[in-house]
Amino acid sequence: MSDQAAIGEAVARTVRALRAGHGWSLDELAGRAGVSKGVLVGLEQGRANPNLGTLIRVSDALGVPLTRLVQVEEQPPIKVFPPDRHVVLWEGTAGGTGTLLGGSDPRPSLELWRWDLRPGETRESDPHVPGTKEIVYVEEGTLTLSVDGRSDLVEAGTAAVFVGDRPHAYGNAGGTDLRFILAVLDL
């Protein structure tokens, strides 16, 4: 395969993935980038030989550097995070932990966390970037989930989805340990 063909395939794969990640139609990306829908169809099918100006407009609209569009090296379809790559990023006063298990990059990014809160511990979080969503699944105990001034109890075996772009907190007001899994989608 020639270098030009490899770059064309990289652009096609990357533009398709980033557009889908934003949830945009071809028409929406075309409007944001100031290029025709036909040009984008050609890009996403690897049939086009776009000029630099087109690539810059598309990368700007997608919010990524131009180099991201033309990277020939493909990320592996599976990225494994063994236990030695898990990182404890929060430690509570009573010994609780917030452990980042794995994540993707660049934006939109997805993070997977395991949280263990001892009785009485609370983890307060500042708002994330606009559009961030979080989902929590409580494995044991009862989570007091507070978002933008509202609190709900989330029992073991229950999941909850909430906006992460507002002040929020995870708390254990119970008398037993709390364990939950958290996913954060940062758009």
Side-chain angles (χ1 to χ4, degrees), residues 126-134 162-168:
D126 291 327
H128 302 294
V129 298
T132 298
K133 302 282 189 237
E134 300 191 26
F162 58 99
V163 294
D165 58 4
R166 297 178 192 163
H168 54 283

Side-chain angles (χ1 to χ4, degrees), residues 37-173:
K37 181 178 175 181
V39 166
L40 287 179
V41 169
L43 275 177
E44 288 194 4
Q45 293 178 352
R47 295 185 286 113
N49 186 12
N51 64 38
L52 181 58
T54 298
L55 290 174
I56 290 171
R57 286 192 297 277
V58 170
S59 67
D60 285 348
L62 291 168
V64 297
L66 176 62
T67 54
R68 175 83 165 89
L69 291 187
V70 298
Q71 286 177 330
V72 175
E73 299 81 30
E74 184 178 352
Q75 288 187 353
I78 298 174
K79 187 174 181 180
V80 177
F81 294 88
D84 64 343
R85 298 258 331 261
H86 299 173
V87 181
V88 175
L89 293 176
W90 178 83
E91 293 184 18
T93 56
T97 57
T99 305
L100 180 61
L101 301 174
S104 66
D105 62 304
R107 278 195 174 109
S109 65
L110 181 62
E111 298 171 350
L112 184 63
W113 293 78
R114 182 184 63 240
W115 288 85
D116 294 293
L117 272 63
R118 305 294 178 246
E121 288 185 322
T122 298
R123 163 63 171 120
E124 294 186 11
S125 179
D126 291 327
H128 302 294
V129 298
T132 298
K133 302 282 189 237
E134 300 191 26
I135 185 169
V136 62
Y137 174 76
V138 178
E139 293 182 307
E140 61 183 75
T142 300
L143 168 66
T144 301
L145 179 61
S146 301
V147 179
D148 206 18
R150 174 187 166 166
S151 293
D152 285 288
L153 296 179
V154 185
E155 302 286 339
T158 306
V161 177
F162 58 99
V163 294
D165 58 4
R166 297 178 192 163
H168 54 283
Y170 322 103
N172 183 357

